[in-house]
């Protein structure tokens, strides 16, 4: 456990990809089976302890610590595992280095549910602070240390002569603790059975710049840039005729479990590149709606019917076992169009091309997608993609093939009303902000949107401090921030567009809002009024 | 007499009516008593300033000789009467010259501790508990998650990293006043006697420490070092300089940050710190509790920091507590010192 804890600790502080790779490879090289396999499973999200819930950990700690002090500490730290690891008082003399990762996996397996709390408490007593943190991260399944499944497999490739592609091939048929995979990579065993489907690293784009307008428009295709989640849908039959289907994130994490409604409908043999979105009654919903589904802890039938998932496909990488990636975008597009027509009943649709002659046409489309894309997709468009007709499908971010051209933002000066704690490495900061503008007819601020990015790390620290020093009231993780005419914080908020909304008190909802600047120089009384926004509505 | 006749919170800061003096006021006033030189406690522009000779010297370095109308030095342990009030300064163990202010009138005593710590610090006089009726405390690290390890073990961690990566520079972010000099002194205590390089913003205060008799060994400005000398070297800079072009002169640097906040991973990661060093000049949770009990004060006022948690603990320990939520005091002087 000490070795695994040290690995997690060092990964958490290693910002560089190459540094993370080196740490992982060294760990896999130096750690015996089955510990390293359990670690690999934990890092790639393949290990879960279903009876160990955060609520149980919380109950354990409040047995030993004042409940209010624990709550205040948790509020400050923002991460349950870390709060408990820091607050837990153990006697260092009892610390025991002999507790291995396998002891923990097997120990949990062999223990009845009712006896688990006592077992965890015993382990927490025996571990040092770092070990406690690693144990709690492990059992609550919240490692979040910036290691994707693909990165972990790349580290495996460093152990021997197998390529990442080879490892991807066998990966999905293997199971923890992967002793056969390790043996094969290190040249001590046969190649394990291949999986039927695997992840293909995606092709990424560059930001479009003014100088790119010197390129000849006829060499390029354009399509909408969707504001969803980039995914890869892969399905195939194995040698025994069994069907396999997977949904991957753009980093190669297997997210099939979160979207059973999609994966069950993958009745094809192909690898597709596209955007995961929510579609209701033919209308593609905004990212906010998708976010609501992502926020649900478990995927129930109700979640699925309320937030039906849909993939807007824009590329095809292979079909019926044939690798299409060396073909041009134009050739792949033809194949994709045929594919989409043949699978019209699946929750999959073709991302339409935007017809254009000159770059100005695209600029117009980009500025007003409602007009060009039609109302049904307005919410989910955040710009346009420009793709060279002649480009093959290349992994990574090759220059000169794909570009993204985002919409120009509008701005408004708004007042911070509520702040909520963030997630991941921002979990100890108030980093999600609800802001508002003044009503036209009354001295009252109405919320118009929420934003959680656009500021620098230094600015986040300053805003967080402001929030903590100007809290009016608290509800759970949310703080109401002082917002009087002379006291409060003004943000210049940039956003891509505006729509009428009956759900918001203000009657409008912003698309893609972010903090453009913090106006320390302005008082709330200087912020904009609602009419500044409603004027924009009339423009469109 | 009542405690509030001796000491009362005002928007400018804590006010002592019988002496007509403010302690660490955040706005210019006629008479200020300054606990220590951190920029959020010691501001320029007061008519008259009373502080330890070291604190006055620090303020002169920061703001220039004319930082106030009249400066009056009071050494630790000496008594000064203003009206009916007796004023005595006692060491707070926070930074060089840092003092607690003891105010006594008619047999009632209030002690305003400013910022303080109980861990040993080779660069300043150790904290002395003051028996009092009212103890005024900070609460920067007043949560049970804050238990600072001995600073020596954190320094040992950095020296181990230096042995492991002998060709990389170790860039340590440390506040310009107090933390930087304490870290240098700790390296020297650990037997590290190679040159330690300083960012320009740390030079003047480090020179002042040496003039005050704090031995820091061979310290040199980074500006004068050539790149080959910086390989494998230890350099100190204000925390904000770690992510600036200034840091590019170092060969493949490992960035460290010496602060009590480094106890929380998210805070360290958020700042892009690779080597967090939990070295704090503020009391941790156990030391805050120990100190409050040692003063024997039946009432505690909490100026800034995690006041709710400390007040909650005080009540459970039978001590009356009041959270003042004074505005204007930066926890560990992050912004102000970074700018200095
Ligand atoms: Zn201070
Ligand atoms: Zn302070």
């Amino acid at each position: 456990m000490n070795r695994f804890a040290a690995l997690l600790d060092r990964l958490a502080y290693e910002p560089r990809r190459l540094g993370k790779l080196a740490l992982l490879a060294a760990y896999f090289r130096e750690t015996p089976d089955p510990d390293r396999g359990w670690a690999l499973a934990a890092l790639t999200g393949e290990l879960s302890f279903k009876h160990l819930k955060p609520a149980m950990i919380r109950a354990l700690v409040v047995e030993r610590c004042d409940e209010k002090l624990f709550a205040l500490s948790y509020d400050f730290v923002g991460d349950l595992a870390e709060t408990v690891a820091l607050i837990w008082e153990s006697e260092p003399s009892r610390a025991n280095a002999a507790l291995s990762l396998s002891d923990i996996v097997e120990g949990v397996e062999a223990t009845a549910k009712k006896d688990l709390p006592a077992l965890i408490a015993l382990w927490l007593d025996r571990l040092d602070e770092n070990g406690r943190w690693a144990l709690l991260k492990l059992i609550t399944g919240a490692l979040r240390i910036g290691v994707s499944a693909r990165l972990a497999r790349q580290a495996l490739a460093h152990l021997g002569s197998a390529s990442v592609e080879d490892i991807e091939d066998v990966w999905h048929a293997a199971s923890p603790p992967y002793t056969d995979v390790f043996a094969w990579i290190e040249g001590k065993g046969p190649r394990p059975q291949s999986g039927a489907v695997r992840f293909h690293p995606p092709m990424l784009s560059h930001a479009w710049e003014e100088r790119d307008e010197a390129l000849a428009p006829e060499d390029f295709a354009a399509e909408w840039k969707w504001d969803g989640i980039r995914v890869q849908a892969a399905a195939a039959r194995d040698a025994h005729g069994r069907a396999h289907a997977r949904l991957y994130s753009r980093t190669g994490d297997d997210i099939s479990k979160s979207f059973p409604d999609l994966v069950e409908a993958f009745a094809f043999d192909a690898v597709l590149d596209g955007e995961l979105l929510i579609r209701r009654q033919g209308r593609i919903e905004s990212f906010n709606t998708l976010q609501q589904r992502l926020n649900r802890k478990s995927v129930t039938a109700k979640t699925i019917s309320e937030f039906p998932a849909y993939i807007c496909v824009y590329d095809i990488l292979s079909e019926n076992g044939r690798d299409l990636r060396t073909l041009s975008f134009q050739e792949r597009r033809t194949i994709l169009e045929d594919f989409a027509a043949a699978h019209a009943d699946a929750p999959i649709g073709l991302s339409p091309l935007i017809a254009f002659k000159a770059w100005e046409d695209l600029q117009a489309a980009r500025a007003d997608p409602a007009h060009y894309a039609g109302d049904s997709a307005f919410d989910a468009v955040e710009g346009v993609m420009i793709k060279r007709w002649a480009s093959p499908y290349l992994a990574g971010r090759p220059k000169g093939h794909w570009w993204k051209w985002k919409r120009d933002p509008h701005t408004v000066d708004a007042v911070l009303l509520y702040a909520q704690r963030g997630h991941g490495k921002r979990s100890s900061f108030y980093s999600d902000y609800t802001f508002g503008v003044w009503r036209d007819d009354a001295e009252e601020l109405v919320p118009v949107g929420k934003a959680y990015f656009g500021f620098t790390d230094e600015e986040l620290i300053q805003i967080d401090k402001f929030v903590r020093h100007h809290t009016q009231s608290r509800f759970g993780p949310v703080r109401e921030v002082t917002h009087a005419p002379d006291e409060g914080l003004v943000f210049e908020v940039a956003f891509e567009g505006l729509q009428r909304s009956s759900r918001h008190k203000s009657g409008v909802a912003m698309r893609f809002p972010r903090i453009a600047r913090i106006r320390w120089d302005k008082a709330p009384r200087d912020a904009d009024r609602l009419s500044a926004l409603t004027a924009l509505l009339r423009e469109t | 007499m009542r405690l509030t006749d001796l000491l009362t919170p005002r928007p400018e800061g804590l006010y002592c009516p019988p002496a007509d003096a403010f302690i660490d006021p955040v706005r210019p006033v006629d008479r200020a008593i300054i606990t220590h030189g951190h920029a959020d406690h010691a501001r320029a522009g007061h008519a008259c300033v009373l502080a330890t000779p070291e604190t006055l010297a620090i303020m002169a370095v920061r703001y220039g000789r004319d930082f106030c109308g009249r400066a009056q030095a009071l050494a630790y342990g000496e008594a000064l009467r203003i009206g009916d009030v007796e004023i005595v300064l006692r060491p707070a163990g926070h930074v060089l010259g840092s003092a607690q202010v003891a105010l006594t009138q008619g047999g009632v005593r209030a002690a305003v501790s400013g910022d303080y710590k109980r861990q040993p610090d080779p660069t300043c006089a150790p904290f002395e508990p003051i028996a009092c009726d009212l103890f005024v405390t900070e609460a920067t690290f007043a949560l049970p998650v804050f238990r600072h390890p001995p600073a020596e073990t954190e320094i040992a961690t950095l020296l181990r990293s230096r042995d492991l990566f002998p060709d990389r520079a170790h860039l340590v972010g440390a506040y310009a006043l107090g933390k930087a000099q304490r870290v240098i002194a700790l390296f020297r205590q650990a037997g590290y006697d190679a040159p330690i390089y300083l960012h320009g913003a740390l030079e003047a205060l480090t020179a002042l420490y040496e003039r005050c008799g704090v031995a820091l060994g061979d310290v040199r400005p980074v500006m004068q070092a050539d790149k080959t000398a910086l390989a494998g070297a230890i350099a100190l800079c204000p925390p904000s300089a770690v992510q600036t072009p200034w840091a590019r002169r170092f060969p493949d640097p490992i960035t460290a940050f010496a602060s009590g906040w480094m106890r929380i991973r998210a805070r360290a990661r958020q700042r892009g710190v690779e080597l967090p060093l939990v070295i704090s000049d503020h009391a941790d949770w156990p030391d805050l509790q120990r100190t409050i009990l040692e003063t024997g004060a039946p009432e505690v006022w909490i100026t800034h920091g995690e006041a709710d948690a400390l007040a909650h603990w005080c009540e459970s320990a039978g001590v009356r507590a009041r959270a003042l939520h004074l505005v204007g005091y930066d926890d560990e002087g992050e912004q102000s010192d970074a700018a200095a």
Side-chain angles (χ1 to χ4, degrees), chain A residues 295-317:
Chain A
N295 288 344
R296 300 288 161 99
K297 286 224 170 58
S298 60
V299 186
T300 59
K302 186 166 171 280
T303 311
I304 290 171
S305 70
E306 213 179 321
F307 301 101
Y310 169 81
I311 302 176
C312 195
V313 290
Y314 34 71
D315 219 319
I316 183 161
L317 281 57

Side-chain angles (χ1 to χ4, degrees), chain A residues 201-204 230 315 317 325-327 332 390-402:
Chain A
M203 181 162 175
L204 306 171
R230 179 88 179 266
D315 219 319
L317 281 57
R325 287 177 293 176
T326 51
L327 301 183
R332 296 198 310 276
S391 296
Y393 194 95
L394 302 166
R397 205 184 295 274
K399 277 210 167 81
H401 299 278
W402 286 13

Side-chain angles (χ1 to χ4, degrees), chain A residues 193-376:
Chain A
Q193 278 274 311
S194 288
V197 295
R198 70 180 173 89
F199 174 68
H200 296 64
M203 181 162 175
L204 306 171
S205 62
H206 289 268
W208 181 260
E209 289 172 51
E210 225 173 284
R211 61 180 156 87
D212 296 320
E213 292 181 28
L215 296 167
E218 59 271 23
D219 292 341
F220 296 89
E223 50 187 284
W224 299 113
K225 175 161 174 41
W226 300 101
D227 189 11
I229 300 175
R230 179 88 179 266
V231 290
Q232 193 170 101
R237 289 195 177 276
D238 63 21
H240 311 285
R242 278 190 300 262
H244 297 268
R246 305 258 178 196
L247 188 68
Y248 298 109
S249 73
R250 66 177 243 186
T251 51
D253 290 305
D254 185 350
I255 53 170
S256 309
K257 282 194 199 107
S258 305
F259 297 94
D261 43 337
L262 281 177
V263 178
E264 277 159 22
F266 288 174
F268 49 75
D269 185 336
V271 176
L272 304 168
D273 186 4
E275 198 85 0
L276 194 153
L277 299 153
I278 299 295
R279 187 178 62 164
R280 289 171 176 153
Q281 280 102 42
R283 182 187 165 81
I284 298 178
E285 300 282 344
S286 72
F287 187 77
N288 290 343
T289 313
L290 175 55
Q291 191 69 49
Q292 290 172 39
R293 169 151 177 182
L294 298 175
N295 288 344
R296 300 288 161 99
K297 286 224 170 58
S298 60
V299 186
T300 59
K302 186 166 171 280
T303 311
I304 290 171
S305 70
E306 213 179 321
F307 301 101
Y310 169 81
I311 302 176
C312 195
V313 290
Y314 34 71
D315 219 319
I316 183 161
L317 281 57
S318 79
E319 192 184 23
N320 301 325
R322 178 179 167 221
D323 192 339
L324 306 175
R325 287 177 293 176
T326 51
L327 301 183
S328 68
F329 175 71
Q330 193 151 27
E331 291 165 305
R332 296 198 310 276
R333 177 77 195 185
T334 310
I335 298 170
L336 182 66
E337 283 170 8
D338 292 343
F339 177 92
H343 295 88
D345 49 337
I348 284 176
L350 190 64
S351 180
L353 294 178
I354 309 168
F356 73 104
K357 286 210 164 56
W359 298 122
E360 294 83 69
D361 303 340
L362 267 193
Q363 178 131 33
R366 183 177 68 100
D368 188 8
H371 182 71
Y372 280 77
D375 271 342
S376 65

Side-chain angles (χ1 to χ4, degrees), chain B residues 54-68:
Chain B
E54 295 87 353
T55 297
L56 293 176
I58 289 164
M59 291 176 79
V61 165
R62 289 210 135 145
Y63 304 122
R65 299 242 146 255
D66 55 352
F67 65 88
C68 69

Side-chain angles (χ1 to χ4, degrees), chain A residues 9-10 12-16 65-66 68-69 72-73 76-77 82-83 86-87 89 129-130 133 144-146 424-429 457-458 460-462 464-465 468-469 474, chain B residues 143-147 164-165 168 239-240 252 261-276 285 306 308-310 312-313 326-331 334-335:
Chain A
D9 187 50
R10 295 190 62 188
Y13 289 116
E14 176 56 69
R16 298 169 309 171
C65 169
D66 180 284
K68 176 160 184 193
L69 291 175
L72 287 167
S73 297
F76 187 91
V77 176
E82 183 162 9
T83 311
L86 291 174
I87 230 170
E89 286 183 77
E129 192 180 292
N130 212 20
W133 173 72
R144 284 208 201 107
I145 42 165
K425 67 176 187 169
R426 280 185 171 173
S427 52
S428 83
F429 293 91
D457 289 353
E458 285 298 324
L460 172 60
I461 292 170
Q462 293 167 13
D464 177 74
K465 192 160 286 170
R468 290 174 193 271
H469 284 158
R474 310 160 78 143
Chain B
L143 285 171
V145 289
F146 290 110
R147 284 170 225 278
L164 210 57
F165 303 104
R168 299 177 69 180
S240 57
D252 193 15
W261 298 119
M262 294 299 102
R263 176 103 172 140
I264 310 291
R265 272 163 221 276
R267 299 237 158 194
R269 287 176 61 193
Q270 205 275 337
R271 298 193 74 119
V273 173
E274 293 162 278
L275 196 64
W285 176 247
E306 298 302 314
D308 295 347
L310 193 57
H312 176 77
W313 174 82
L326 295 186
V327 174
Y329 300 101
D330 260 325
D331 321 323
E334 282 185 9
Q335 264 84 50

Side-chain angles (χ1 to χ4, degrees), chain A residues 417-419 470-475 478-483:
Chain A
L417 301 176
Y418 303 97
H470 296 86
T471 299
Q472 256 178 2
S473 51
R474 310 160 78 143
F475 339 83
V478 177
R479 291 186 183 219
E480 182 176 11
V481 185
T482 308
H483 48 268

